[in-house]
Amino acid sequence: SDRRLAPFRRPGAREKVAGSWHGREQSFALSENPHAGCYFLTDRQLRHWLAQPSFFDRDASWIDPLASAATLSVGKVFDLYKCAAPDPWFLEIEHYGVRYAAYCAPPGVTYGESPLLALAQRAPQGEAAGPPAGSTTINALVGEATRLRIELDGLLASRSRLFRAFLRALFRKKTF
């Protein structure tokens, strides 16, 4: 919303900027979700930020204390950009789960947590990775396997180069 973006919009900010990284052209646009990103500063920019009254002002007024601590202070000083064309997934990091996707869901759409998340949460406690007690029929096992396969297919369809490289290393395959 405009209210959420207000602290990050300054008069004169360019909508898009472009640069080159390792001989590759990349453009960046002002972020529609400033907290969804990772920001890098040069030594000179860091010194400038440290000298600002907003640095370590403990202002927790934006979204919640964590989002404010991670994003608001730097956003008060610098315009925050995210990757755009030609590769909007340039240096992308994907998060597992739907906690933050719910904020962006279209009206009337809800996202449920992945069954893989429940399995991962049960594993450290030594619980069985199978279906809940009392539902050990073959149909329940097939249903669980189908849900896991759908989730795995979604992960494998990722457009993130970083995530595909992770999968190649994890499974020692040449392509994903």
Side-chain angles (χ1 to χ4, degrees), residues 11-53:
R14 297 185 344 209
E15 284 292 318
K16 290 192 177 187
V17 296
S20 179
W21 187 67
H22 287 273
R24 183 175 159 203
E25 295 299 316
Q26 180 63 47
S27 66
F28 301 85
L30 283 174
S31 179
E32 293 297 315
N33 181 359
H35 188 60
C38 179
Y39 305 103
F40 302 90
L41 302 173
T42 65
D43 183 59
R44 188 173 136 220
Q45 290 170 325
L46 179 60
R47 280 190 245 135
H48 174 73
W49 182 35
L50 291 170
Q52 302 304 307

Side-chain angles (χ1 to χ4, degrees), residues 35 57-74:
H35 188 60
D57 64 3
R58 297 182 180 201
D59 179 357
S61 64
W62 189 70
I63 309 286
D64 60 37
L66 179 61
S68 293
T71 306
L72 182 59
S73 178
V74 72

Side-chain angles (χ1 to χ4, degrees), residues 5-6 15-16 33 40 61 71-73 76 83 97 100 104 107 109 111 119 127 132 135 140-141 143 146 158 169 172:
L5 291 175
E15 284 292 318
K16 290 192 177 187
N33 181 359
F40 302 90
S61 64
T71 306
L72 182 59
S73 178
K76 286 179 178 181
C83 302
Y100 295 107
C104 303
V109 174
Y111 300 113
L119 291 173
E127 297 176 30
S135 62
L141 292 171
T146 301
S158 169
R172 295 184 176 88

